[in-house]
Amino acid sequence: MTDELTPQQAGQRARTVLDEVERAVVGKRHALELVMMGVLAGGHVLIEDLPGLGKTLLARSFATALGMDFTRIQFTPDLLPSDVTGAPFYDQRSAEMVFRPGPIFTQVLLADEINRTPPKTQAALLEAMAEGQATVDGVTRPLPQPFVVIATENPIEYEGTYTLPEAQLDRFLLRTRMGYLPAADETAMLKRRIERAAPEAVLEARTDPAEVLAMRSSLEQVEVDEDLLGYVIALITATREHAQVQVGASPRGGLALVQLARAHAVLRDRDYVVPEDVKAVAVPALAHRITLRPELWVRRINSDDIVAGLVKSVPTPRTTPNAAGAPKAANTPKTPSAAKSA
């Protein structure tokens, strides 16, 4: 059984995992850190980007470096819910119905092109993502722990796709994008491919499932000052009152923001959260949880821009060292009206 870890020990192990994954995924440290934060915070990750940018490689590399089981589901329009969760079948030898687990019974699940499957099949993931279990034919079965869904979707293809409903999007702790590599990093990637004389780098496990659970538990030791909670609420409320937002972030968005801020602090060897931690994860945590007014599609305004603007406009609490050495927030907005006047 793995001993309890301090936030500093968890941060060190997390950076070891990131270094290992970076051997395969070149030049995407920021995206890798966000995925690692999602794992630490016990959530699921949505990667929205163009084909060929390494989304599948990222998921498989994380599973290997974390020492966790990995399964991939290629979502297609004809995929059925039972293809995800599993289904009972008749065993002629025992003359009984036997449950055959589906690919969802794993630890790291890559839901590839999740927006290509109908809503009924997408919904098969909802219970698993929210509660870590799957119910088939009235029987509820727990999933292996830890359980992480890394889903991908292509943002530019609309033919034969099904937009993820808000309830499904809200289940993802964060959304991130990878983007194209800078020329220097792309050159480095090509050089690595030539030097290793193999299609992909061979990675090693740097931790195991029990230690991943211990790393998650260490987040509960990370202190969040009450005034920082007020700052989080101010950001959440600002999304609901913004003139260009039709539906703001849910309370689940506030929980995600706090846990991701804690994970961000852990990766930086701290056992306390500062306003910069909240700012660093606000867009990945909140942008996919808000719905913009329809007319903004024509003006090409996206939710990332809205949340980034709120991060700049909502007053940041000042922090001063307290007796324990951790920063203590000294001043924070009590209502989102302060954001409007900023």
Side-chain angles (χ1 to χ4, degrees):
M1 182 176 179
T2 302
D3 296 331
E4 289 187 4
L5 300 177
T6 66
Q8 289 79 6
Q9 290 171 330
Q12 190 276 328
R13 284 164 170 76
R15 289 192 297 276
T16 301
V17 170
L18 286 170
D19 292 341
E20 184 68 13
V21 173
E22 207 168 22
R23 292 180 53 226
V25 184
V26 181
K28 294 297 174 185
R29 184 73 179 198
H30 178 64
L32 297 183
E33 285 191 355
L34 284 173
V35 174
M36 189 72 238
M37 285 182 234
V39 173
L40 289 175
H44 309 287
V45 179
L46 176 62
I47 305 176
E48 184 183 89
D49 223 323
L50 304 173
L53 297 182
K55 300 186 294 294
T56 302
L57 176 62
L58 179 148
R60 190 167 60 246
S61 299
F62 262 104
T64 301
L66 291 168
M68 291 160 61
D69 294 335
F70 174 76
T71 303
R72 172 183 177 178
I73 303 177
Q74 183 64 51
F75 281 86
T76 55
D78 60 347
L79 198 71
L80 300 174
S82 59
D83 295 328
V84 176
T85 60
F89 75 101
Y90 183 72
D91 187 346
Q92 293 182 340
R93 291 173 295 182
S94 64
E96 294 179 349
M97 296 297 292
V98 179
F99 178 71
R100 177 178 292 166
I104 202 172
F105 286 86
T106 186
Q107 291 174 324
V108 177
L109 175 68
L110 173 60
D112 211 0
E113 296 188 292
I114 190 174
N115 57 329
R116 286 197 173 278
T117 200
K120 186 175 181 179
T121 305
Q122 291 176 6
L125 283 174
L126 276 177
E127 181 185 13
M129 293 172 65
E131 302 174 34
Q133 62 186 29
T135 301
V136 181
D137 279 358
V139 179
T140 299
R141 296 174 174 84
L143 300 177
Q145 293 299 319
F147 174 68
V148 180
V149 174
I150 300 178
T152 71
E153 67 173 353
N154 183 344
I156 64 169
E157 287 191 23
Y158 299 104
E159 187 72 25
T161 62
Y162 303 84
T163 303
L164 289 176
E166 286 74 11
Q168 184 92 19
L169 283 172
D170 208 32
R171 301 292 180 182
F172 288 101
L173 191 72
L174 64 92
R175 180 184 67 184
T176 187
R177 299 181 177 90
M178 298 184 71
Y180 290 111
L181 287 169
D185 288 334
E186 198 158 0
T187 301
M189 179 194 69
L190 296 177
K191 286 182 178 179
R192 286 192 193 184
R193 169 62 182 87
I194 294 172
E195 289 170 358
R196 68 173 174 259
E200 293 181 9
V202 178
L203 304 184
E204 298 179 0
R206 296 300 182 185
T207 184
D208 56 54
E211 195 166 64
V212 171
L213 291 174
M215 291 162 67
R216 285 182 173 181
S217 296
S218 73
L219 260 66
E220 302 306 321
Q221 305 172 41
V222 179
E223 295 183 7
V224 185
D225 189 86
E226 186 174 346
D227 283 346
L228 280 176
L229 294 180
Y231 178 51
V232 169
I233 294 301
L235 285 171
I236 296 295
T237 306
T239 67
R240 299 169 185 168
E241 298 186 349
H242 196 285
Q244 296 175 320
V245 175
Q246 188 171 19
V247 181
S250 68
R252 190 182 285 121
L255 293 170
L257 193 52
V258 169
Q259 287 302 97
L260 284 173
R262 282 174 145 184
H264 190 269
V266 164
L267 282 181
R268 279 142 187 85
D269 275 337
R270 281 186 277 104
D271 59 2
Y272 55 88
V273 173
V274 297
E276 285 66 29
D277 296 318
V278 178
K279 290 181 176 182
V281 299
V283 173
L286 300 180
H288 64 292
R289 301 176 193 273
I290 67 175
T291 303
L292 302 184
R293 297 194 179 280
E295 62 268 18
L296 297 181
W297 289 81
V298 179
R299 296 165 57 185
R300 295 189 177 182
I301 296 175
N302 61 47
S303 57
D304 288 36
D305 296 334
I306 297 295
V307 176
L310 292 175
V311 169
K312 292 180 180 178
S313 64
V314 173
T316 305
R318 295 191 301 272
T319 55
T320 56
N322 61 16
K328 179 176 177 58
N331 191 16
T332 190
K334 299 302 180 185
T335 64
S337 58
K340 297 179 181 179
S341 61

